[in-house]
Amino acid sequence: MKLTLGLVLPFALTLVFTGALRLGLGAERGARLAGAAVVAGFLIAWAIVWRPGWMPTEPFARIGHIALGAMLMGLLVDAVIQRRFATFIAAAGVVAVSAVASVTGTLTPGWPLPVSNLSLIGGLIALALAVLARLDRLRGDTTVVLVITAMVALAAAAIAGVAHDTPLSVTAVMLALSLAAYGVIAALIPLPVGDAIVLGAGATLLAIVWALAASHPAVRPALLLLPLMLFADGTARRVPLPKARISGLLFPVVLAGVAGLPLLLAAAVAYVTAP
């Protein structure tokens, strides 16, 4: 039952929310704010399926808190500020708070922190900001950023599946399905990828990967391969496609195929390293 809900709810909710925001708020404002539907659809479905509770006592429960905080920050930038500097500030704030909470288990850790913790927090912040910066750079092409983010989520799902962690695996698939639902609407009605998606879905993906790394240290070598997927668009653009309208339909398939190669490699590495 949980598996069925996990596969149906995020796609259906995101589809409905995206359409409602776009149609209800109008062509300009609705399109700008519709990205919030991705994380909203994922979050509601995730809470219904897994019932994680209100307290983020462990990495899996913190996924929802990080997703909600990042989505709200991204939505604030999309709705009110709409400036590039605001994107950078919002990303830095989300990443810093999430890194501290993930490493220490609380938003208000006792200071001073051990050097090991500070080093880990600094490394997580640098890595997370690099990932978000890459997604931000890809956002100019809605198809590219949605496909790549969804494929990275599926790669995390595959690694979690190899580690026999069903909740994390299904959670990652749920995020991919929410992104896919937004992509369906975007294929019919032009929709941008705003900060609610770049920060919201990006931070959610990072939270899933962190939960996987924290719960299953043996698969960490496989997780190191996931950043390769963020550059799949360069290779996909070199694949010759027919000079016709069908090329617009073929390119997402080609891009997913190129991104799928590191996915398969990461799953194979996880199979070898996981007990």
Side-chain angles (χ1 to χ4, degrees), residues 56-63 66 95 97-106 116-117 119-125 127-128 131 152 156 159-160 165 168 171-172 202-220 223-224 226:
T57 54
E58 41 85 29
F60 183 77
R62 277 192 289 275
I63 292 173
I66 291 173
V95 166
V97 171
S98 300
V100 170
S102 297
V103 172
T104 65
T106 177
S116 59
N117 280 4
S119 300
L120 182 54
I121 290 171
L124 285 176
I125 289 174
L127 179 60
V131 171
V152 177
I159 294 172
D165 193 327
L168 267 179
T171 295
T204 303
L205 180 58
L206 290 168
I208 292 171
V209 171
W210 170 257
L212 187 53
S215 303
H216 307 281
V219 303
R220 290 175 184 174
L223 296 176
L224 295 176
L226 299 191

Side-chain angles (χ1 to χ4, degrees), residues 112-186:
L113 292 174
V115 174
S116 59
N117 280 4
L118 289 174
S119 300
L120 182 54
I121 290 171
L124 285 176
I125 289 174
L127 179 60
L129 287 177
V131 171
L132 292 178
R134 179 59 183 168
L135 294 178
D136 182 72
R137 186 173 181 180
L138 294 174
R139 76 159 81 189
D141 190 321
T142 298
T143 299
V144 168
V145 69
L146 291 177
V147 170
I148 286 182
T149 308
M151 289 300 294
V152 177
L154 290 178
I159 294 172
V162 172
H164 304 289
D165 193 327
T166 299
L168 267 179
S169 183
V170 175
T171 295
V173 172
M174 292 170 75
L175 178 60
L177 288 171
S178 291
L179 290 161
Y182 187 84
V184 169
I185 300 293

